[in-house]
Amino acid sequence: MFSPVPQHFAPVLILAPESPDRYQVGGFGILPRRWGVGITDWAWLAVSEHHTLEVEYQLADVLIHGCNMELVVEAPDLRSARGQFEWLYASLMIVGVAPFFAPFISTHSINDFSNVSAGTPTDDDRRDRYHALRSGHESVTFGFNLFHFGSLTSPLDAEERITVARLTDAANLTDRWRVLVESDPTLRVLHDALIAAPQVGNRGQSILMMWTALESLFPKVNSELSFRLALYLAQLLGHTTPRFDNFQRVRSAYNTRSAIAHGTWKPKDFLSERRDWTVAWMLLLDVANACLSRGRLPSEDDLTAELLA
Protein backbone atom coordinates (compact mmCIF):
# COMPACT_ATOMS: atom_id res chain seq x y z
CA MET A 1 0.00 0.00 0.00
CA PHE A 2 1.55 3.30 -1.13
CA SER A 3 1.98 6.05 1.42
CA PRO A 4 3.37 9.56 0.83
CA VAL A 5 5.05 9.34 4.24
CA PRO A 6 7.98 6.89 4.55
CA GLN A 7 7.15 3.67 6.34
CA HIS A 8 9.33 2.15 9.06
CA PHE A 9 9.19 -1.37 10.40
CA ALA A 10 9.53 -2.71 13.95
CA PRO A 11 9.94 -6.49 14.15
CA VAL A 12 7.78 -7.82 17.00
CA LEU A 13 8.95 -10.72 19.16
CA ILE A 14 6.71 -13.14 21.10
CA LEU A 15 3.35 -12.04 19.65
CA ALA A 16 1.74 -13.34 16.46
CA PRO A 17 -0.55 -11.61 13.93
CA GLU A 18 -4.22 -12.50 13.72
CA SER A 19 -4.06 -13.33 10.01
CA PRO A 20 -1.46 -13.67 7.24
CA ASP A 21 -2.72 -10.51 5.53
CA ARG A 22 -1.21 -7.06 5.76
CA TYR A 23 -3.40 -4.46 7.48
CA GLN A 24 -3.06 -0.68 7.55
CA VAL A 25 -4.99 1.85 9.65
CA GLY A 26 -3.99 5.50 9.56
CA GLY A 27 -0.25 5.79 10.02
CA PHE A 28 0.17 2.28 11.48
CA GLY A 29 -0.02 -1.26 10.19
CA ILE A 30 0.59 -4.96 10.72
CA LEU A 31 2.91 -6.79 8.32
CA PRO A 32 3.16 -10.58 8.84
CA ARG A 33 6.55 -12.12 8.24
CA ARG A 34 6.74 -14.04 4.99
CA TRP A 35 10.33 -15.20 4.56
CA GLY A 36 13.35 -16.03 6.66
CA VAL A 37 16.49 -13.92 6.86
CA GLY A 38 19.70 -15.89 7.16
CA ILE A 39 22.89 -14.83 8.90
CA THR A 40 24.52 -14.38 5.47
CA ASP A 41 21.84 -11.80 4.61
CA TRP A 42 22.61 -9.87 7.80
CA ALA A 43 26.35 -10.12 7.12
CA TRP A 44 25.83 -8.84 3.55
CA LEU A 45 23.95 -5.80 4.87
CA ALA A 46 26.63 -5.21 7.51
CA VAL A 47 29.51 -5.07 5.01
CA SER A 48 27.66 -3.31 2.18
CA GLU A 49 28.64 0.34 1.70
CA HIS A 50 25.03 1.23 0.86
CA HIS A 51 23.37 0.02 4.06
CA THR A 52 23.65 0.81 7.77
CA LEU A 53 23.24 -1.69 10.59
CA GLU A 54 23.37 0.06 13.96
CA VAL A 55 23.37 -3.36 15.63
CA GLU A 56 25.70 -6.32 15.46
CA TYR A 57 24.39 -8.53 12.67
CA GLN A 58 24.80 -11.66 14.84
CA LEU A 59 22.46 -10.17 17.47
CA ALA A 60 19.87 -9.28 14.84
CA ASP A 61 20.07 -12.80 13.43
CA VAL A 62 19.46 -14.41 16.85
CA LEU A 63 16.55 -12.19 17.90
CA ILE A 64 14.73 -12.07 14.57
CA HIS A 65 14.23 -15.85 14.74
CA GLY A 66 11.45 -15.09 17.24
CA CYS A 67 9.71 -12.59 14.94
CA ASN A 68 6.33 -13.45 13.38
CA MET A 69 5.29 -9.94 12.32
CA GLU A 70 6.30 -6.31 12.06
CA LEU A 71 4.46 -3.19 13.14
CA VAL A 72 4.50 -0.47 10.49
CA VAL A 73 4.92 3.17 11.51
CA GLU A 74 4.72 6.11 9.13
CA ALA A 75 7.24 8.83 9.94
CA PRO A 76 9.59 11.14 8.02
CA ASP A 77 12.75 9.57 9.47
CA LEU A 78 14.01 6.85 11.78
CA ARG A 79 14.22 9.09 14.85
CA SER A 80 10.62 10.22 14.42
CA ALA A 81 9.56 6.62 13.85
CA ARG A 82 11.05 5.63 17.21
CA GLY A 83 8.98 8.35 18.89
CA GLN A 84 5.80 7.37 17.04
CA PHE A 85 6.37 3.73 17.94
CA GLU A 86 6.65 4.59 21.64
CA TRP A 87 3.20 6.23 21.56
CA LEU A 88 1.76 3.29 19.62
CA TYR A 89 3.27 0.80 22.08
CA ALA A 90 1.75 2.59 25.07
CA SER A 91 -1.62 2.71 23.30
CA LEU A 92 -1.44 -1.01 22.53
CA MET A 93 -0.88 -1.65 26.23
CA ILE A 94 -3.88 0.55 27.14
CA VAL A 95 -6.21 -1.39 24.83
CA GLY A 96 -5.10 -4.69 26.36
CA VAL A 97 -2.38 -6.13 24.13
CA ALA A 98 0.10 -8.27 26.05
CA PRO A 99 3.53 -6.64 26.56
CA PHE A 100 6.04 -7.58 23.89
CA PHE A 101 9.56 -6.86 22.69
CA ALA A 102 10.28 -4.84 19.55
CA PRO A 103 14.06 -4.37 19.85
CA PHE A 104 14.73 -2.94 16.39
CA ILE A 105 13.28 -0.44 13.94
CA SER A 106 14.20 -0.22 10.27
CA THR A 107 13.63 1.73 7.08
CA HIS A 108 12.77 -1.55 5.35
CA SER A 109 10.85 -4.68 6.23
CA ILE A 110 12.86 -7.80 6.98
CA ASN A 111 10.78 -9.37 4.20
CA ASP A 112 12.56 -7.02 1.78
CA PHE A 113 16.04 -8.35 2.43
CA SER A 114 15.30 -12.04 2.77
CA ASN A 115 17.88 -13.92 0.66
CA VAL A 116 19.50 -10.62 -0.34
CA SER A 117 22.99 -12.16 -0.03
CA ALA A 118 22.24 -14.83 -2.64
CA GLY A 119 21.61 -12.44 -5.52
CA THR A 120 18.14 -13.81 -6.35
CA PRO A 121 14.78 -12.69 -4.92
CA THR A 122 12.63 -15.28 -3.17
CA ASP A 123 9.42 -14.12 -4.85
CA ASP A 124 8.50 -12.30 -8.06
CA ASP A 125 6.25 -9.91 -6.10
CA ARG A 126 9.27 -8.31 -4.44
CA ARG A 127 11.73 -8.32 -7.36
CA ASP A 128 11.83 -4.50 -7.81
CA ARG A 129 12.46 -3.78 -4.12
CA TYR A 130 15.00 -6.61 -3.96
CA HIS A 131 17.09 -5.26 -6.85
CA ALA A 132 16.85 -1.73 -5.44
CA LEU A 133 18.51 -2.99 -2.25
CA ARG A 134 21.09 -5.07 -4.09
CA SER A 135 22.09 -2.16 -6.32
CA GLY A 136 22.14 0.43 -3.55
CA HIS A 137 19.35 2.53 -5.06
CA GLU A 138 17.61 2.06 -1.73
CA SER A 139 19.49 2.02 1.57
CA VAL A 140 18.52 0.03 4.64
CA THR A 141 19.05 1.59 8.07
CA PHE A 142 18.40 -0.96 10.80
CA GLY A 143 18.64 0.38 14.35
CA PHE A 144 17.80 -0.14 18.01
CA ASN A 145 14.62 0.53 19.94
CA LEU A 146 16.61 1.06 23.13
CA PHE A 147 13.89 0.35 25.68
CA HIS A 148 13.07 -3.10 24.31
CA PHE A 149 15.61 -5.37 25.95
CA GLY A 150 15.56 -7.39 29.16
CA SER A 151 13.03 -9.75 30.69
CA LEU A 152 9.28 -9.47 30.21
CA THR A 153 6.18 -9.99 32.38
CA SER A 154 2.67 -10.30 30.96
CA PRO A 155 -0.63 -10.26 32.84
CA LEU A 156 -2.35 -13.56 33.51
CA ASP A 157 -4.48 -14.87 30.64
CA ALA A 158 -3.04 -12.33 28.20
CA GLU A 159 -3.68 -13.02 24.53
CA GLU A 160 -0.31 -13.22 22.79
CA ARG A 161 -1.30 -11.82 19.42
CA ILE A 162 -2.11 -8.47 17.88
CA THR A 163 -5.52 -8.44 16.24
CA VAL A 164 -6.79 -6.02 13.63
CA ALA A 165 -9.35 -4.73 16.15
CA ARG A 166 -6.67 -4.06 18.79
CA LEU A 167 -4.41 -2.24 16.34
CA THR A 168 -7.35 -0.16 15.12
CA ASP A 169 -8.27 0.79 18.68
CA ALA A 170 -4.66 1.66 19.52
CA ALA A 171 -4.14 3.66 16.31
CA ASN A 172 -7.27 5.70 17.06
CA LEU A 173 -6.03 6.24 20.63
CA THR A 174 -2.43 7.22 19.92
CA ASP A 175 -2.93 10.91 19.14
CA ARG A 176 -5.41 11.36 22.01
CA TRP A 177 -3.01 9.74 24.49
CA ARG A 178 -0.05 11.82 23.28
CA VAL A 179 -2.03 15.07 23.57
CA LEU A 180 -3.20 14.10 27.05
CA VAL A 181 0.32 13.29 28.29
CA GLU A 182 1.91 16.34 26.68
CA SER A 183 -0.75 18.63 28.17
CA ASP A 184 -0.31 17.22 31.70
CA PRO A 185 3.28 16.27 32.63
CA THR A 186 1.92 14.38 35.67
CA LEU A 187 0.84 11.64 33.27
CA ARG A 188 4.35 11.22 31.84
CA VAL A 189 5.37 8.95 34.74
CA LEU A 190 2.35 6.73 34.07
CA HIS A 191 3.17 6.65 30.35
CA ASP A 192 6.75 5.63 31.07
CA ALA A 193 5.56 2.89 33.44
CA LEU A 194 3.32 1.44 30.72
CA ILE A 195 6.42 0.92 28.60
CA ALA A 196 9.06 0.05 31.20
CA ALA A 197 7.29 -1.85 34.01
CA PRO A 198 6.76 -5.13 32.10
CA GLN A 199 10.48 -5.22 31.28
CA VAL A 200 11.75 -4.99 34.88
CA GLY A 201 13.03 -8.46 35.69
CA ASN A 202 12.19 -8.34 39.40
CA ARG A 203 8.39 -8.34 39.66
CA GLY A 204 8.42 -6.71 43.08
CA GLN A 205 10.43 -3.79 41.72
CA SER A 206 8.12 -3.67 38.71
CA ILE A 207 5.10 -3.35 41.02
CA LEU A 208 6.85 -0.53 42.89
CA MET A 209 7.48 1.24 39.60
CA MET A 210 3.79 1.06 38.75
CA TRP A 211 2.84 2.38 42.19
CA THR A 212 5.29 5.24 41.78
CA ALA A 213 3.32 6.19 38.66
CA LEU A 214 -0.03 5.88 40.46
CA GLU A 215 1.08 7.88 43.48
CA SER A 216 2.56 10.61 41.28
CA LEU A 217 -0.94 11.38 39.98
CA PHE A 218 -1.91 12.89 43.33
CA PRO A 219 0.98 15.09 44.54
CA LYS A 220 -1.05 16.61 47.40
CA VAL A 221 -1.43 13.23 49.12
CA ASN A 222 1.27 13.11 51.82
CA SER A 223 -0.56 11.43 54.70
CA GLU A 224 -3.05 8.59 55.13
CA LEU A 225 -1.67 7.31 51.83
CA SER A 226 -3.52 4.00 51.60
CA PHE A 227 -6.93 5.49 52.42
CA ARG A 228 -6.67 8.67 50.35
CA LEU A 229 -5.13 7.05 47.29
CA ALA A 230 -7.82 4.35 47.36
CA LEU A 231 -10.50 7.02 47.71
CA TYR A 232 -9.24 9.15 44.81
CA LEU A 233 -8.61 6.18 42.51
CA ALA A 234 -12.02 4.70 43.32
CA GLN A 235 -13.65 7.99 42.29
CA LEU A 236 -11.48 8.32 39.20
CA LEU A 237 -12.49 4.83 38.06
CA GLY A 238 -16.07 5.07 39.31
CA HIS A 239 -17.57 5.77 35.89
CA THR A 240 -16.94 2.16 34.81
CA THR A 241 -17.12 0.01 37.96
CA PRO A 242 -18.62 0.47 41.46
CA ARG A 243 -16.55 2.84 43.58
CA PHE A 244 -16.53 0.63 46.66
CA ASP A 245 -15.23 -2.33 44.66
CA ASN A 246 -12.43 -0.13 43.30
CA PHE A 247 -11.71 1.19 46.78
CA GLN A 248 -11.24 -2.35 48.10
CA ARG A 249 -9.15 -3.35 45.08
CA VAL A 250 -6.81 -0.38 45.50
CA ARG A 251 -6.44 -0.90 49.26
CA SER A 252 -5.51 -4.54 48.71
CA ALA A 253 -3.04 -3.67 45.93
CA TYR A 254 -1.50 -0.94 48.09
CA ASN A 255 -0.97 -3.46 50.89
CA THR A 256 1.05 -5.54 48.42
CA ARG A 257 3.04 -2.46 47.44
CA SER A 258 3.80 -1.71 51.11
CA ALA A 259 4.84 -5.30 51.77
CA ILE A 260 7.31 -5.12 48.87
CA ALA A 261 8.69 -1.76 50.03
CA HIS A 262 9.21 -3.07 53.58
CA GLY A 263 10.62 -6.46 52.60
CA THR A 264 7.71 -8.57 53.84
CA TRP A 265 6.24 -9.57 50.48
CA LYS A 266 6.54 -13.33 50.23
CA PRO A 267 4.29 -14.75 47.49
CA LYS A 268 3.88 -18.49 47.96
CA ASP A 269 4.60 -19.40 44.35
CA PHE A 270 5.22 -18.04 40.84
CA LEU A 271 1.49 -17.84 40.10
CA SER A 272 0.81 -15.75 43.21
CA GLU A 273 3.66 -13.41 42.32
CA ARG A 274 2.37 -12.97 38.80
CA ARG A 275 -1.19 -12.46 40.09
CA ASP A 276 -0.03 -9.60 42.32
CA TRP A 277 1.78 -8.09 39.35
CA THR A 278 -1.34 -8.41 37.18
CA VAL A 279 -3.46 -6.54 39.76
CA ALA A 280 -1.09 -3.55 39.68
CA TRP A 281 -0.81 -3.67 35.88
CA MET A 282 -4.59 -3.72 35.36
CA LEU A 283 -4.95 -0.80 37.77
CA LEU A 284 -2.44 1.14 35.68
CA LEU A 285 -4.40 0.41 32.49
CA ASP A 286 -7.72 1.30 34.12
CA VAL A 287 -6.35 4.66 35.23
CA ALA A 288 -5.05 5.42 31.73
CA ASN A 289 -8.43 4.52 30.23
CA ALA A 290 -10.27 6.61 32.84
CA CYS A 291 -8.15 9.67 31.99
CA LEU A 292 -8.82 9.14 28.29
CA SER A 293 -12.54 8.80 28.93
CA ARG A 294 -12.59 12.01 30.97
CA GLY A 295 -10.25 13.82 28.60
CA ARG A 296 -7.96 14.83 31.48
CA LEU A 297 -6.54 13.81 34.84
CA PRO A 298 -8.77 15.34 37.55
CA SER A 299 -7.03 16.94 40.52
CA GLU A 300 -7.49 15.82 44.10
CA ASP A 301 -9.86 18.76 44.63
CA ASP A 302 -11.91 17.83 41.57
CA LEU A 303 -12.30 14.25 42.78
CA THR A 304 -13.23 15.40 46.28
CA ALA A 305 -15.89 17.69 44.83
CA GLU A 306 -17.28 14.78 42.81
CA LEU A 307 -17.42 12.59 45.92
CA LEU A 308 -19.32 15.23 47.89
CA ALA A 309 -21.67 16.33 45.11
Side-chain angles (χ1 to χ4, degrees), residues 22-255:
R22 180 168 183 161
Y23 176 74
Q24 188 81 21
V25 54
F28 305 104
I30 294 172
L31 180 62
R33 186 175 183 182
R34 296 183 63 188
W35 301 285
V37 179
I39 193 167
T40 54
D41 297 324
W42 293 110
W44 187 89
L45 289 171
V47 301
S48 170
E49 63 178 334
H50 302 296
H51 307 296
T52 303
L53 260 63
E54 298 176 358
V55 306
E56 293 295 332
Y57 73 87
Q58 298 94 331
L59 177 63
D61 177 62
V62 169
L63 292 183
I64 291 301
H65 281 299
C67 171
N68 297 306
M69 59 175 286
E70 295 169 281
L71 284 172
V72 183
V73 177
E74 292 182 358
D77 52 50
L78 201 65
R79 180 177 179 180
S80 300
R82 286 189 179 100
Q84 277 288 83
F85 183 81
E86 178 182 326
W87 293 110
L88 175 64
Y89 185 90
S91 298
L92 286 166
M93 298 302 97
I94 291 170
V95 301
V97 172
F100 59 88
F101 284 132
F104 308 118
I105 194 159
S106 173
T107 55
H108 291 70
S109 166
I110 54 177
N111 289 328
D112 292 337
F113 46 85
S114 171
N115 210 40
V116 72
S117 62
T120 55
T122 55
D123 190 285
D124 286 341
D125 292 343
R126 55 189 291 276
R127 188 173 297 275
D128 291 341
R129 174 60 60 86
Y130 179 88
H131 286 302
L133 293 180
R134 284 283 301 184
S135 64
H137 290 146
E138 290 188 20
S139 298
V140 172
T141 301
F142 193 88
F144 277 120
N145 261 343
L146 293 180
F147 58 86
H148 281 275
F149 284 92
S151 59
L152 193 70
T153 300
S154 288
L156 293 172
D157 301 321
E159 185 178 30
E160 294 190 345
R161 64 176 184 162
I162 298 181
T163 65
V164 165
R166 296 287 196 196
L167 179 67
T168 301
D169 289 344
N172 292 334
L173 205 69
T174 299
D175 285 340
R176 289 173 55 208
W177 179 245
R178 180 174 59 240
V179 168
L180 202 62
V181 172
E182 290 178 347
S183 65
D184 187 346
T186 306
L187 288 170
R188 169 57 69 170
V189 182
L190 189 145
H191 170 80
D192 291 343
L194 287 170
I195 295 169
Q199 300 180 51
V200 176
N202 183 298
R203 289 192 181 87
Q205 295 303 308
S206 180
I207 291 171
L208 289 180
M209 176 184 286
M210 288 187 273
W211 268 103
T212 297
L214 293 170
E215 292 176 41
S216 72
L217 301 177
F218 307 112
K220 291 183 179 179
V221 176
N222 50 30
S223 63
E224 299 177 317
L225 296 183
S226 174
F227 176 78
R228 293 180 65 188
L229 285 171
L231 200 64
Y232 289 140
L233 287 171
Q235 181 60 31
L236 177 63
L237 305 176
H239 68 298
T240 55
T241 51
R243 286 179 296 182
F244 185 72
D245 291 349
N246 282 321
F247 181 82
Q248 295 287 69
R249 175 166 66 123
V250 175
R251 287 292 292 270
S252 175
Y254 190 86
N255 288 340

